[in-house]
Amino acid sequence: MPSRRTSRVEHDPWIEHLAWLMDSSIGIGRWSIGIDGLLGLVPGLGDLAGSLVSILIVGRAVRAGVPRIAVARMVANIAIDALLGTVPVVGDLFDFAFKANVKNVRIYQESLGGVRTARHWGFFVVVAAALLSVLAIPVTVFVLLLRAL
């Protein structure tokens, strides 16, 4: 059965250009912003539209044979960008600063270039620990309330 994966190509000009357009195409002094940040200013649909464009990079990575854990990290970057971008004002500033697409292109290139994926596993371990810590707070409060009764 033939593999669905294409040849391992580290340099993909199309996604590099897309990431630049979305995250860094507009220079403002020492800083640069992209269309993703501007889309995030549109209430409701802006972050969704930016995320849909970002998924194109992930799809290209999947077709190129990027390891699943690296793809999961790329999806996590998009989710962080979209979720935090929905917070009024602060989320918009975050959207301009957090360059998920550029990060995802770097993950794509490093993964196909042979860089080990251990740091992606470490990221998810930290996220899981943080989520468990957040969940432990209400459980602890509930147990303490039950003991007080």
Side-chain angles (χ1 to χ4, degrees):
M1 172 183 251
S3 174
R4 290 180 14 196
R5 295 180 178 183
T6 60
S7 63
R8 290 170 111 39
V9 178
E10 295 172 48
H11 178 69
D12 188 339
W14 186 80
I15 66 166
E16 291 171 7
H17 183 73
L18 182 61
W20 170 81
L21 187 66
M22 292 298 289
D23 290 345
S24 305
S25 59
I26 303 166
I28 301 174
R30 311 185 290 153
W31 299 284
S32 63
I33 61 170
I35 294 172
D36 186 38
L38 297 175
L39 285 172
L41 295 173
V42 178
L45 297 178
D47 290 306
L48 176 63
S51 297
L52 291 175
V53 172
S54 297
I55 289 295
L56 294 173
I57 294 171
V58 175
R60 194 78 159 222
V62 169
R63 283 197 315 264
V66 169
R68 289 182 182 150
I69 188 65
V71 170
R73 177 71 187 269
M74 294 170 77
V75 171
N77 284 339
I78 295 169
I80 290 167
D81 188 35
L83 291 174
L84 293 179
T86 61
V87 177
V89 183
V90 174
D92 294 326
L93 294 174
F94 175 81
D95 220 8
F96 284 113
F98 187 76
K99 300 183 182 309
N101 298 298
V102 171
K103 290 175 188 293
N104 286 347
V105 167
R106 188 172 55 247
I107 291 169
Y108 171 92
Q109 292 167 336
E110 289 174 352
S111 294
L112 294 180
V115 174
R116 304 198 35 93
T117 58
R119 67 186 178 100
H120 303 306
W121 283 106
F123 170 80
F124 285 109
V125 167
V126 170
V127 168
L131 288 175
L132 287 174
S133 297
V134 168
L135 290 175
I137 293 170
V139 171
T140 303
V141 169
F142 180 72
V143 168
L144 291 174
L145 287 174
L146 283 178
R147 291 179 85 189
L149 296 175

